[in-house]
Amino acid sequence: MAQAKTQQLTRSTQPHPEFLWHSGKLVPWEQATVHVTSVVWTAVSAVFEGIRAYWNASQQELSVFQLDAHMKRLAQSMKLMRMADNITTAHVRQAVLDLLRANAFREDVYVQPLVYFAEGIPGYIGVLDRPVDVLITARPSPSTLEDEGGVTAGISSWARIADNVMPPRAKALANYQNSRLVPTDARVNGYDQGIMLNQAGKVTEAASSCVVLIRDGAAITPPWSAGILESITREALFTLLRNELRMPVQERDVDRTELYIADEVLLCGTLMEVKPVVFVDKYTVGDGQPGPVTRKLQSLLLRAARGEMPAYAPWLTAVYGARRPAVNGARRAAVNGTRKLATVRARA
Ligand code: PMP
């Protein structure tokens, strides 16, 4: 009995979580299938989000970080792809919470909702208003905000995709062919990360994170129009920089050589969180150690995300709330109570 309980509590450390979300309902991981014609080409036009949920052990609460901002960006990506609105972000939002409860996670988690054209429609054929379907997976992903080390970066020889080619502000799977080339190339050349320039030779972003530099008491970062994803972490850091560190933020074009002479450089994104960059193209950034502003941002972001800074409570959505004391019970309730969510027409 005691052993069964332990197994339940440690469920999420299994190779995969018990449930994923597909096509309007919670599905046991092993039973989630799609028809073979749905794979490969369908993915070309799929859009997705990467979301983190943070576990607070003392509050026994799991909180999704910036859930509404992620839903807003998902709606933007769907609109850019001209997807039909048979699935709303209100539906996806609820499904994310239901999935987290169903898996009874008691640790930091990474959640990935993916919206794709249903019915195996080839992704390279122009489609208008075809219905979409949703797949959501969630997996344990411990925060690295307390890690001490920094990373090295090189300017990639691959340029960032442009808004008139494949819009970077759409979080579309296909864009990640550009992203995938970059870290592979960086590693071949002995760096941890690659930073891309745009066609004008200005700094854009890394493969899955944005770039911020600290120079003479200001935080500087390329604007959306440089060709970057509209990063939610970057926005959160702006708020922390302004409110907590009283540091001005400048969104403007950045030359690659500015990275070489910056006091600090950091990469930020949902999965990566905040990562100090200590060398760029083998130029030492600052003194070659993670800098004080980056360190402070790491600590502030972690405290805010874990629900330890009341001022930032609006950034968080509690997963368990009143269900908290009975996590396993909550999981069962979530599974039993799953509605086959009806098709909703109005986009959230
Ligand atoms: N740029 C790209 C290309 C990304 O994939 C990500 C990760 N989503 C980011 C930037 C950072 O965005 P966010 O802070 O919203 O995760």
Side-chain angles (χ1 to χ4, degrees):
M1 185 72 174
Q3 201 189 355
K5 206 165 192 175
T6 314
Q7 273 172 3
Q8 276 214 316
L9 285 175
T10 55
R11 177 184 312 104
S12 53
T13 56
Q14 290 170 358
H16 61 73
E18 195 168 349
F19 295 101
L20 51 72
W21 180 279
H22 185 217
S23 214
K25 58 182 189 299
L26 290 163
V27 182
W29 187 278
E30 292 82 3
Q31 293 170 26
T33 54
V34 290
H35 190 263
V36 68
T37 55
S38 292
V39 297
V40 190
W41 285 114
T42 308
V44 170
S45 41
V47 297
F48 72 108
E49 274 302 316
I51 307 170
R52 261 189 187 275
Y54 288 84
W55 174 244
N56 181 314
S58 60
Q59 295 168 12
Q60 292 287 292
E61 185 57 278
L62 183 68
S63 299
V64 185
F65 186 72
Q66 297 274 17
L67 182 56
D68 293 320
H70 282 285
M71 291 304 104
K72 186 174 173 200
R73 190 170 65 188
L74 182 64
Q76 286 176 190
S77 298
M78 290 170 66
K79 181 174 184 180
L80 285 169
M81 289 300 183
R82 298 190 190 278
M83 286 175 162
D85 57 8
N86 61 299
I87 302 276
T88 66
T89 50
H91 167 107
V92 179
R93 185 185 193 282
Q94 186 59 49
V96 165
L97 295 171
D98 286 350
L99 179 64
L100 291 170
R101 284 177 199 136
N103 283 305
F105 288 113
R106 297 164 64 80
E107 61 205 306
D108 299 339
V109 182
Y110 185 69
V111 192
Q112 229 174 27
L114 178 89
V115 181
Y116 59 97
F117 285 115
E119 302 163 11
I121 296 157
Y124 58 89
I125 290 176
V127 285
L128 282 177
D129 292 329
R130 291 295 184 107
V132 291
D133 212 338
V134 184
L135 164 67
I136 310 175
T137 53
R139 60 175 161 85
S141 179
S143 170
T144 59
L145 283 167
E146 287 175 312
D147 288 5
E148 303 215 322
V151 297
T152 63
I155 301 297
S156 183
S157 54
W158 298 103
R160 185 66 177 138
I161 47 173
D163 194 56
N164 59 355
V165 180
M166 294 167 72
R169 68 162 44 76
K171 198 163 167 64
L173 270 192
N175 289 357
Y176 285 77
Q177 173 61 355
N178 182 229
S179 290
R180 198 194 63 81
L181 289 166
V182 173
T184 312
D185 188 55
R187 266 164 233 160
V188 166
N189 288 300
Y191 299 110
D192 300 317
Q193 298 286 331
I195 295 174
M196 289 170 280
L197 306 180
N198 57 25
Q199 297 292 350
K202 302 295 180 186
V203 172
T204 62
E205 59 186 336
S208 59
S209 56
C210 284
V211 182
V212 179
L213 50 142
I214 310 296
R215 208 179 151 198
D216 299 330
I220 301 158
T221 189
W224 287 345
S225 55
I228 65 169
L229 184 73
E230 296 183 358
S231 158
I232 290 160
T233 318
R234 174 179 169 278
E235 291 294 322
L237 293 190
F238 288 176
T239 305
L240 294 172
L241 280 158
R242 291 185 178 122
N243 291 358
E244 306 299 325
L245 304 183
R246 303 279 162 223
M247 184 174 275
V249 176
Q250 299 170 12
E251 286 178 80
R252 62 160 174 77
D253 279 344
V254 173
D255 296 319
R256 67 189 290 171
T257 49
E258 249 191 306
L259 298 174
Y260 305 156
I261 58 166
D263 301 322
E264 299 179 38
V265 176
L266 65 89
L267 299 177
C268 65
T270 298
L271 194 59
M272 183 171 291
E273 300 175 298
V274 177
K275 207 50 95 201
V277 180
V278 290
F279 291 95
V280 180
D281 284 350
K282 300 194 178 156
Y283 285 93
T284 307
V285 177
D287 62 3
Q289 298 298 319
V293 177
T294 309
R295 283 273 176 251
K296 278 184 203 147
L297 285 173
Q298 287 179 309
S299 144
L300 286 165
L301 184 64
L302 189 60
R303 283 174 51 217
R306 291 227 190 278
E308 292 164 2
M309 294 178 78
Y312 299 99
W315 286 355
L316 307 180
T317 303
V319 172
Y320 299 124
R323 300 173 175 85
R324 199 161 44 223
V327 172
N328 293 323
R331 181 185 68 82
R332 276 191 299 277
V335 177
N336 295 337
T338 299
R339 296 134 297 179
K340 247 295 208 191
L341 284 168
T343 298
V344 192
R345 284 280 152 199
R347 190 183 290 276

